[in-house]
Amino acid sequence: MRVYVINGPNLNFLGIREKDVYGENSYEALCNYIEKEAKKLNIEVECFQSNIEGEIINCVQDAYQNADAIIINPGAYTHYSYAIMDAIKSVNLKTIEVHLSNIYKREEFRHKSVTATVCVGQISGFGFLGYKLALEAVAMIN
Protein backbone atom coordinates (compact mmCIF):
# COMPACT_ATOMS: atom_id res chain seq x y z
CA MET A 1 0.00 0.00 0.00
CA ARG A 2 1.22 3.48 -0.87
CA VAL A 3 0.01 6.60 0.93
CA TYR A 4 0.66 10.23 0.09
CA VAL A 5 1.05 12.39 3.19
CA ILE A 6 0.42 15.96 2.09
CA ASN A 7 1.13 18.91 4.37
CA GLY A 8 0.14 22.47 3.65
CA PRO A 9 1.29 25.98 4.54
CA ASN A 10 3.69 26.62 7.38
CA LEU A 11 4.16 22.97 8.33
CA ASN A 12 7.75 23.40 7.16
CA PHE A 13 8.14 25.80 10.13
CA LEU A 14 7.34 23.19 12.78
CA GLY A 15 9.66 23.68 15.73
CA ILE A 16 9.99 27.37 14.83
CA ARG A 17 6.45 28.79 14.89
CA GLU A 18 4.04 28.79 17.80
CA LYS A 19 5.87 26.16 19.83
CA ASP A 20 3.14 26.34 22.47
CA VAL A 21 0.65 25.10 19.85
CA TYR A 22 2.76 22.89 17.55
CA GLY A 23 5.63 21.79 19.78
CA GLU A 24 9.40 21.82 19.50
CA ASN A 25 9.86 19.11 16.85
CA SER A 26 10.79 20.02 13.28
CA TYR A 27 9.06 19.09 10.04
CA GLU A 28 11.94 16.71 9.33
CA ALA A 29 11.22 15.00 12.65
CA LEU A 30 7.55 14.68 11.66
CA CYS A 31 8.46 13.05 8.33
CA ASN A 32 10.87 10.67 10.07
CA TYR A 33 8.13 9.74 12.55
CA ILE A 34 5.60 9.13 9.76
CA GLU A 35 8.06 6.97 7.80
CA LYS A 36 8.93 4.92 10.91
CA GLU A 37 5.27 4.32 11.78
CA ALA A 38 4.34 3.53 8.16
CA LYS A 39 7.10 0.93 7.94
CA LYS A 40 5.60 -0.90 10.95
CA LEU A 41 2.35 -1.17 8.97
CA ASN A 42 4.02 -2.15 5.68
CA ILE A 43 2.90 1.12 4.13
CA GLU A 44 5.06 3.03 1.71
CA VAL A 45 4.69 6.78 2.28
CA GLU A 46 5.49 9.80 0.22
CA CYS A 47 5.71 12.96 2.35
CA PHE A 48 5.09 16.26 0.61
CA GLN A 49 4.83 19.83 1.90
CA SER A 50 4.03 23.06 0.12
CA ASN A 51 2.95 26.56 1.02
CA ILE A 52 1.37 26.87 -2.43
CA GLU A 53 -2.23 25.79 -3.00
CA GLY A 54 -1.69 24.76 -6.63
CA GLU A 55 1.22 22.49 -5.71
CA ILE A 56 -0.94 20.77 -3.10
CA ILE A 57 -3.64 20.24 -5.73
CA ASN A 58 -1.04 18.84 -8.15
CA CYS A 59 0.11 16.41 -5.46
CA VAL A 60 -3.46 15.29 -4.74
CA GLN A 61 -3.99 14.73 -8.46
CA ASP A 62 -0.69 12.85 -8.72
CA ALA A 63 -1.95 10.52 -5.99
CA TYR A 64 -4.75 9.44 -8.33
CA GLN A 65 -2.40 7.13 -10.26
CA ASN A 66 0.37 6.67 -7.69
CA ALA A 67 -1.22 6.11 -4.28
CA ASP A 68 -3.89 4.05 -2.56
CA ALA A 69 -4.86 6.72 -0.03
CA ILE A 70 -4.09 10.25 1.13
CA ILE A 71 -3.42 11.73 4.55
CA ILE A 72 -3.64 15.50 4.38
CA ASN A 73 -3.02 18.41 6.70
CA PRO A 74 -4.09 21.35 4.54
CA GLY A 75 -3.03 23.90 7.17
CA ALA A 76 -4.98 27.14 6.84
CA TYR A 77 -6.34 25.97 3.47
CA THR A 78 -8.53 23.64 5.54
CA HIS A 79 -10.91 26.48 6.22
CA TYR A 80 -11.44 27.93 2.75
CA SER A 81 -9.84 25.97 -0.09
CA TYR A 82 -12.67 24.69 -2.21
CA ALA A 83 -10.03 23.99 -4.86
CA ILE A 84 -8.25 21.46 -2.60
CA MET A 85 -11.63 20.05 -1.58
CA ASP A 86 -12.56 19.56 -5.25
CA ALA A 87 -9.19 17.91 -5.96
CA ILE A 88 -9.66 15.44 -3.10
CA LYS A 89 -13.19 14.70 -4.26
CA SER A 90 -12.10 14.21 -7.87
CA VAL A 91 -9.42 11.58 -7.18
CA ASN A 92 -11.85 9.42 -5.19
CA LEU A 93 -9.17 8.03 -2.85
CA LYS A 94 -9.72 7.33 0.83
CA THR A 95 -8.49 10.53 2.46
CA ILE A 96 -8.01 11.39 6.12
CA GLU A 97 -7.53 14.95 7.32
CA VAL A 98 -5.05 15.47 10.17
CA HIS A 99 -4.28 18.49 12.34
CA LEU A 100 -1.57 18.64 14.98
CA SER A 101 -3.58 20.96 17.21
CA ASN A 102 -7.22 20.66 18.21
CA ILE A 103 -8.72 23.09 15.73
CA TYR A 104 -11.94 23.18 17.76
CA LYS A 105 -10.15 24.66 20.79
CA ARG A 106 -8.69 27.49 18.76
CA GLU A 107 -10.02 30.56 16.99
CA GLU A 108 -13.58 30.33 15.68
CA PHE A 109 -12.55 30.47 12.01
CA ARG A 110 -10.56 27.25 12.48
CA HIS A 111 -13.67 25.31 13.52
CA LYS A 112 -14.88 24.95 9.92
CA SER A 113 -13.17 22.55 7.55
CA VAL A 114 -14.29 22.58 3.94
CA THR A 115 -11.79 19.84 3.07
CA ALA A 116 -13.04 17.41 5.75
CA THR A 117 -16.38 17.22 3.96
CA VAL A 118 -14.78 14.99 1.29
CA CYS A 119 -12.58 12.98 3.66
CA VAL A 120 -13.32 9.67 5.35
CA GLY A 121 -12.56 11.28 8.69
CA GLN A 122 -10.62 13.91 10.58
CA ILE A 123 -8.09 13.59 13.42
CA SER A 124 -7.07 16.66 15.37
CA GLY A 125 -5.34 17.54 18.60
CA PHE A 126 -2.92 14.65 19.01
CA GLY A 127 0.26 16.14 17.56
CA PHE A 128 2.45 13.68 15.69
CA LEU A 129 0.31 10.79 16.99
CA GLY A 130 -2.50 11.97 14.71
CA TYR A 131 -0.49 10.87 11.68
CA LYS A 132 0.08 7.43 13.20
CA LEU A 133 -3.64 7.11 13.89
CA ALA A 134 -4.37 8.15 10.30
CA LEU A 135 -1.94 5.54 8.96
CA GLU A 136 -3.61 2.85 11.08
CA ALA A 137 -7.03 3.95 9.86
CA VAL A 138 -5.91 3.92 6.22
CA ALA A 139 -4.52 0.41 6.67
CA MET A 140 -7.86 -0.76 8.06
CA ILE A 141 -10.18 0.87 5.51
CA ASN A 142 -8.25 0.13 2.31
Coordinates of all heavy atoms in Angstrom, one line a residue, residues 25-71:
N25 N 9.3 20.0 17.9 CA 9.9 19.1 16.9 C 9.7 19.7 15.5 O 8.8 20.4 15.2 CB 9.2 17.8 16.8 CG 9.5 16.9 18.1 OD1 10.7 16.8 18.4 ND2 8.5 16.4 18.7
S26 N 10.7 19.5 14.6 CA 10.8 20.0 13.3 C 9.9 19.2 12.3 O 9.5 18.1 12.6 CB 12.2 20.0 12.8 OG 12.6 18.6 12.6
Y27 N 9.8 19.8 11.1 CA 9.1 19.1 10.0 C 9.8 17.8 9.7 O 9.2 16.8 9.4 CB 8.9 20.0 8.8 CG 8.1 19.3 7.7 CD1 6.8 19.0 7.9 CD2 8.8 18.9 6.5 CE1 6.1 18.3 6.9 CE2 8.1 18.2 5.6 CZ 6.7 17.9 5.7 OH 6.1 17.3 4.7
E28 N 11.1 17.9 9.6 CA 11.9 16.7 9.3 C 11.7 15.6 10.3 O 11.5 14.4 10.0 CB 13.4 17.1 9.3 CG 14.3 15.9 9.0 CD 15.8 16.3 9.0 OE1 16.2 17.5 9.1 OE2 16.6 15.3 8.9
A29 N 11.5 16.0 11.6 CA 11.2 15.0 12.7 C 9.8 14.4 12.4 O 9.6 13.2 12.6 CB 11.3 15.6 14.0
L30 N 8.9 15.2 12.0 CA 7.6 14.7 11.7 C 7.6 13.7 10.5 O 7.1 12.6 10.6 CB 6.6 15.8 11.3 CG 5.2 15.4 10.8 CD1 4.5 14.6 11.8 CD2 4.4 16.6 10.3
C31 N 8.3 14.0 9.5 CA 8.5 13.1 8.3 C 9.2 11.8 8.7 O 8.7 10.7 8.3 CB 9.2 13.7 7.2 SG 8.2 15.0 6.4
N32 N 10.2 11.9 9.6 CA 10.9 10.7 10.1 C 9.9 9.8 10.9 O 9.9 8.6 10.8 CB 12.1 11.0 10.9 CG 13.2 11.6 10.0 OD1 13.3 11.4 8.8 ND2 14.1 12.4 10.7
Y33 N 9.1 10.4 11.7 CA 8.1 9.7 12.6 C 7.1 9.0 11.7 O 6.8 7.8 11.9 CB 7.4 10.7 13.5 CG 6.3 10.2 14.3 CD1 6.5 9.4 15.4 CD2 5.0 10.3 13.9 CE1 5.5 8.9 16.2 CE2 3.9 9.8 14.6 CZ 4.2 9.1 15.7 OH 3.1 8.6 16.4
I34 N 6.6 9.7 10.7 CA 5.6 9.1 9.8 C 6.2 7.9 9.0 O 5.6 6.9 8.9 CB 5.1 10.2 8.8 CG1 4.3 11.3 9.5 CG2 4.3 9.5 7.6 CD1 4.0 12.5 8.6
E35 N 7.4 8.1 8.5 CA 8.1 7.0 7.8 C 8.3 5.8 8.7 O 8.1 4.6 8.3 CB 9.4 7.5 7.2 CG 9.1 8.4 6.0 CD 10.4 9.2 5.6 OE1 11.5 8.9 6.1 OE2 10.2 10.0 4.7
K36 N 8.7 6.0 9.9 CA 8.9 4.9 10.9 C 7.6 4.2 11.2 O 7.6 3.0 11.2 CB 9.5 5.5 12.2 CG 9.9 4.4 13.2 CD 10.4 5.1 14.5 CE 9.1 5.4 15.3 NZ 9.3 5.9 16.7
E37 N 6.6 4.9 11.5 CA 5.3 4.3 11.8 C 4.7 3.6 10.6 O 4.1 2.5 10.7 CB 4.3 5.4 12.3 CG 4.7 6.0 13.7 CD 4.9 5.0 14.8 OE1 4.1 4.0 14.8 OE2 5.8 5.1 15.6
A38 N 4.8 4.2 9.4 CA 4.3 3.5 8.2 C 5.0 2.2 7.9 O 4.4 1.2 7.5 CB 4.5 4.5 7.0
K39 N 6.3 2.2 8.2 CA 7.1 0.9 7.9 C 6.6 -0.2 8.8 O 6.5 -1.4 8.4 CB 8.6 1.2 8.2 CG 9.5 0.1 7.9 CD 10.9 0.5 8.0 CE 11.8 -0.7 7.5 NZ 13.3 -0.3 7.6
K40 N 6.2 0.1 10.0 CA 5.6 -0.9 10.9 C 4.3 -1.5 10.4 O 4.0 -2.6 10.7 CB 5.3 -0.3 12.3 CG 6.5 0.1 13.1 CD 6.0 0.8 14.4 CE 7.2 1.4 15.2 NZ 6.7 2.1 16.4
L41 N 3.6 -0.7 9.5 CA 2.3 -1.2 9.0 C 2.5 -1.7 7.5 O 1.5 -1.9 6.8 CB 1.3 0.0 9.0 CG 1.0 0.5 10.4 CD1 0.2 1.8 10.3 CD2 0.1 -0.5 11.1
N42 N 3.7 -1.8 7.1 CA 4.0 -2.2 5.7 C 3.4 -1.2 4.7 O 2.8 -1.6 3.6 CB 3.6 -3.6 5.4 CG 4.4 -4.6 6.1 OD1 5.6 -4.4 6.2 ND2 3.8 -5.6 6.7
I43 N 3.4 0.1 5.0 CA 2.9 1.1 4.1 C 4.1 1.9 3.6 O 4.9 2.3 4.4 CB 1.9 2.1 4.9 CG1 0.7 1.3 5.3 CG2 1.5 3.3 4.0 CD1 -0.3 2.1 6.2
E44 N 4.1 2.1 2.3 CA 5.1 3.0 1.7 C 4.5 4.4 1.7 O 3.3 4.6 1.3 CB 5.3 2.6 0.3 CG 6.3 3.4 -0.4 CD 6.5 3.0 -1.9 OE1 6.1 1.9 -2.3 OE2 7.0 3.9 -2.7
V45 N 5.2 5.4 2.2 CA 4.7 6.8 2.3 C 5.5 7.7 1.4 O 6.7 7.5 1.3 CB 4.6 7.3 3.7 CG1 3.5 6.6 4.5 CG2 5.9 7.3 4.4
E46 N 4.9 8.7 0.9 CA 5.5 9.8 0.2 C 5.1 11.1 1.0 O 3.9 11.4 1.0 CB 5.0 9.8 -1.2 CG 5.6 10.9 -2.1 CD 7.0 10.7 -2.5 OE1 7.3 9.5 -2.7 OE2 7.8 11.6 -2.7
C47 N 6.0 11.7 1.6 CA 5.7 13.0 2.4 C 6.0 14.2 1.4 O 7.0 14.2 0.8 CB 6.6 13.1 3.6 SG 6.1 11.9 4.9
F48 N 5.0 15.1 1.5 CA 5.1 16.3 0.6 C 4.6 17.4 1.4 O 3.6 17.3 2.2 CB 4.2 16.1 -0.6 CG 4.1 17.3 -1.5 CD1 5.1 17.6 -2.4 CD2 3.0 18.1 -1.4 CE1 5.0 18.7 -3.2 CE2 2.9 19.3 -2.2 CZ 3.9 19.6 -3.1
Q49 N 5.3 18.6 1.2 CA 4.8 19.8 1.9 C 5.0 21.0 0.9 O 5.9 21.1 0.2 CB 5.7 20.1 3.1 CG 5.2 21.3 4.0 CD 5.6 22.7 3.5 OE1 6.7 22.8 2.9 NE2 4.8 23.6 3.7
S50 N 4.0 21.9 0.9 CA 4.0 23.1 0.1 C 3.2 24.2 0.8 O 2.2 23.9 1.4 CB 3.5 22.8 -1.3 OG 3.6 24.0 -2.0
N51 N 3.7 25.4 0.6 CA 3.0 26.6 1.0 C 2.1 27.1 -0.1 O 1.4 28.1 0.1 CB 3.9 27.7 1.4 CG 4.7 27.2 2.6 OD1 4.2 26.6 3.6 ND2 6.0 27.5 2.6
I52 N 2.1 26.4 -1.2 CA 1.4 26.9 -2.4 C 0.2 26.0 -2.7 O 0.3 24.8 -3.0 CB 2.3 26.9 -3.6 CG1 3.5 27.9 -3.3 CG2 1.6 27.4 -4.9 CD1 4.7 27.8 -4.3
E53 N -1.0 26.5 -2.8 CA -2.2 25.8 -3.0 C -2.2 24.9 -4.3 O -2.6 23.8 -4.2 CB -3.4 26.8 -3.1 CG -4.8 26.1 -3.1 CD -5.9 27.1 -3.1 OE1 -5.7 28.3 -3.6 OE2 -7.0 26.8 -2.7
G54 N -1.7 25.5 -5.4 CA -1.7 24.8 -6.6 C -0.8 23.5 -6.6 O -1.1 22.5 -7.2
E55 N 0.3 23.6 -5.9 CA 1.2 22.5 -5.7 C 0.6 21.4 -4.9 O 0.8 20.2 -5.2 CB 2.6 22.9 -5.1 CG 3.4 23.8 -6.0 CD 4.7 24.2 -5.4 OE1 5.0 23.9 -4.2 OE2 5.5 24.9 -6.1
I56 N -0.2 21.8 -3.9 CA -0.9 20.8 -3.1 C -2.0 20.1 -4.0 O -2.1 18.8 -4.0 CB -1.6 21.4 -1.9 CG1 -0.5 21.9 -0.9 CG2 -2.6 20.5 -1.2 CD1 -1.0 22.8 0.2
I57 N -2.7 20.8 -4.8 CA -3.6 20.2 -5.7 C -2.9 19.3 -6.7 O -3.4 18.2 -7.0 CB -4.4 21.4 -6.5 CG1 -5.3 22.1 -5.5 CG2 -5.2 20.8 -7.6 CD1 -5.8 23.4 -6.0
N58 N -1.8 19.7 -7.2 CA -1.0 18.8 -8.1 C -0.7 17.5 -7.5 O -0.7 16.5 -8.1 CB 0.2 19.5 -8.7 CG -0.1 20.6 -9.7 OD1 -1.2 20.7 -10.2 ND2 0.9 21.5 -9.9
C59 N -0.3 17.6 -6.2 CA 0.1 16.4 -5.5 C -1.1 15.5 -5.2 O -1.0 14.3 -5.4 CB 0.8 16.8 -4.1 SG 1.5 15.4 -3.3
V60 N -2.2 16.1 -4.9 CA -3.5 15.3 -4.7 C -3.8 14.6 -6.1 O -4.1 13.4 -6.1 CB -4.6 16.2 -4.3 CG1 -6.0 15.4 -4.4 CG2 -4.4 16.7 -2.8
Q61 N -3.7 15.3 -7.2 CA -4.0 14.7 -8.5 C -3.0 13.7 -8.8 O -3.3 12.6 -9.4 CB -4.1 15.8 -9.5 CG -5.3 16.7 -9.4 CD -5.3 17.8 -10.4 OE1 -4.4 18.1 -11.1 NE2 -6.5 18.5 -10.4
D62 N -1.7 13.9 -8.5 CA -0.7 12.8 -8.7 C -1.0 11.6 -8.0 O -0.7 10.5 -8.4 CB 0.7 13.4 -8.3 CG 1.8 12.4 -8.7 OD1 2.0 12.2 -9.9 OD2 2.5 11.9 -7.8
A63 N -1.6 11.7 -6.8 CA -2.0 10.5 -6.0 C -2.9 9.6 -6.7 O -3.0 8.4 -6.5 CB -2.5 11.0 -4.6
Y64 N -3.7 10.2 -7.6 CA -4.7 9.4 -8.3 C -4.2 8.2 -9.0 O -4.8 7.1 -8.9 CB -5.4 10.3 -9.4 CG -6.4 9.6 -10.2 CD1 -7.6 9.2 -9.7 CD2 -6.2 9.3 -11.6 CE1 -8.6 8.5 -10.5 CE2 -7.1 8.7 -12.4 CZ -8.3 8.3 -11.8 OH -9.2 7.6 -12.6
Q65 N -3.0 8.3 -9.6 CA -2.4 7.1 -10.3 C -1.3 6.5 -9.5 O -0.8 5.4 -9.8 CB -1.9 7.5 -11.6 CG -3.0 7.9 -12.6 CD -2.5 8.1 -14.0 OE1 -1.3 8.4 -14.2 NE2 -3.4 8.0 -15.0
N66 N -0.8 7.1 -8.4 CA 0.4 6.7 -7.7 C 0.2 6.3 -6.2 O 1.2 6.0 -5.6 CB 1.5 7.7 -7.8 CG 1.9 7.9 -9.3 OD1 2.3 7.0 -9.9 ND2 1.7 9.2 -9.8
A67 N -1.0 6.4 -5.7 CA -1.2 6.1 -4.3 C -2.6 5.4 -4.1 O -3.4 5.4 -4.9 CB -1.2 7.4 -3.5
D68 N -2.7 4.7 -2.9 CA -3.9 4.1 -2.6 C -4.8 4.9 -1.6 O -5.9 4.6 -1.5 CB -3.6 2.7 -1.9 CG -2.7 1.8 -2.8 OD1 -3.2 1.5 -3.9 OD2 -1.6 1.5 -2.4
A69 N -4.1 5.9 -1.0 CA -4.9 6.7 0.0 C -4.1 8.0 0.2 O -2.9 8.1 -0.2 CB -5.1 6.0 1.3
I70 N -4.7 9.0 0.8 CA -4.1 10.2 1.1 C -4.3 10.6 2.6 O -5.4 10.4 3.1 CB -4.7 11.4 0.3 CG1 -4.4 11.1 -1.2 CG2 -4.1 12.8 0.7 CD1 -5.2 12.1 -2.1
I71 N -3.3 11.1 3.2 CA -3.4 11.7 4.5 C -3.0 13.2 4.3 O -2.0 13.4 3.7 CB -2.5 11.1 5.6 CG1 -2.9 9.6 5.8 CG2 -2.5 11.9 6.9 CD1 -2.0 8.8 6.7

